[in-house]
Amino acid sequence: MITEIYQWIKNIAFYIILVTAVMNVIPNNNFKKYINLFTGMIMIILVLSPICKFMGINTRLDTNFIKNIYSQELNSVKVDSYHISKESASNLLDQYKKEIGNQVEKIVNKEGYYMVNADVIMNEDSNSEEYGSLEGINVVVANEDKENLKIAVDKIEIGNKHFENPEEISVKNVIEDFYNVGLDNINVSIQR
């Protein structure tokens, strides 16, 4: 903890020295106000970074950033799909499924598991208005670290009803929050 605080103070001091040196070297006063604005924003980020890290804001910002990129990619796929042949559209959809699978793997890794298999289900009816939209995700994961196993609860069965264990529900909620797909359309299975 103390070494992290020391490193934080060291980074701020180094940045101030660097900015002062740059400001003294710049001959033209016209650009100084823009450089001051830019360096001031970086200074704010440097000062607030430990607080953001402590509160977990970094992870939420990363998740929201990736979620926005996903939405933009989805819209571009919908627009572009009207302009390409059916074979190309099929290839594009396959690549899109693969990319979503990679994103799901990153989400699963953040939750402390590694992905064994992911099946991404998309609307492939080119005549539909929902063409290219995500309809469901089936994921099989396993524990990442065999030494630090959590206490596991197998699926609970009462009569003919099956209940998911809390770990599966937790991973399912994270994926649902990221992709905005209904919980009924996401299946998570944890291998033991």
Side-chain angles (χ1 to χ4, degrees):
M1 178 74 172
I2 293 175
T3 57
E4 291 174 359
I5 293 172
Y6 176 72
Q7 184 64 38
W8 176 58
I9 294 170
K10 189 175 161 183
N11 288 343
I12 291 173
F14 177 76
Y15 182 73
I16 291 171
I17 292 169
L18 180 67
V19 168
T20 305
V22 168
M23 294 303 281
N24 288 330
V25 173
I26 296 175
N28 192 349
N29 288 334
N30 294 337
F31 296 112
K32 283 193 177 184
K33 62 181 176 182
Y34 300 112
I35 294 172
N36 279 333
L37 175 69
F38 180 73
T39 56
M41 287 189 296
I42 292 176
M43 182 63 149
I44 291 171
I45 291 170
L46 274 174
V47 170
L48 294 179
S49 64
I51 297 167
C52 292
K53 186 176 182 181
F54 177 72
M55 295 175 70
I57 294 173
N58 296 13
T59 307
R60 286 185 283 198
L61 289 175
D62 291 344
T63 303
N64 287 333
F65 180 72
I66 292 171
K67 189 187 286 189
N68 288 333
I69 289 175
Y70 165 73
S71 298
Q72 290 174 353
E73 287 176 357
L74 179 62
N75 289 334
S76 72
V77 166
K78 288 179 181 177
V79 169
D80 291 343
S81 65
Y82 293 114
H83 302 291
I84 54 180
S85 69
K86 286 186 179 184
E87 183 177 317
S88 297
S90 175
N91 290 337
L92 182 63
L93 214 51
D94 289 341
Q95 288 297 321
Y96 195 52
K97 284 182 185 179
K98 186 176 179 180
E99 181 60 31
I100 290 175
N102 291 338
Q103 290 176 351
V104 169
E105 183 174 10
K106 289 177 185 175
I107 292 170
V108 166
N109 289 343
K110 283 184 180 179
E111 293 298 309
Y113 301 99
Y114 72 93
M115 189 167 67
V116 175
N117 185 28
D119 181 30
V120 178
I121 303 164
M122 300 186 84
N123 185 335
E124 297 184 21
D125 181 12
S126 60
N127 297 327
S128 171
E129 286 187 20
E130 298 294 318
Y131 176 70
S133 64
L134 185 60
E135 292 183 341
I137 301 173
N138 299 320
V139 182
V140 178
V141 299
N143 287 328
E144 189 170 41
D145 188 2
K146 297 295 182 187
E147 294 176 8
N148 297 325
L149 288 177
K150 299 176 183 173
I151 296 175
V153 177
D154 289 333
K155 288 188 178 179
I156 301 169
E157 295 184 26
I158 299 175
N160 292 334
K161 295 183 179 182
H162 300 280
F163 298 96
E164 296 172 299
N165 71 38
E167 292 173 325
E168 290 174 349
I169 292 170
S170 174
V171 173
K172 196 173 177 177
N173 285 334
V174 171
I175 293 172
E176 188 268 338
D177 183 47
F178 188 82
Y179 287 105
N180 205 18
V181 176
L183 285 174
D184 295 336
N185 297 331
I186 300 171
N187 296 314
V188 175
S189 177
I190 299 177
Q191 290 184 346
R192 308 266 180 228

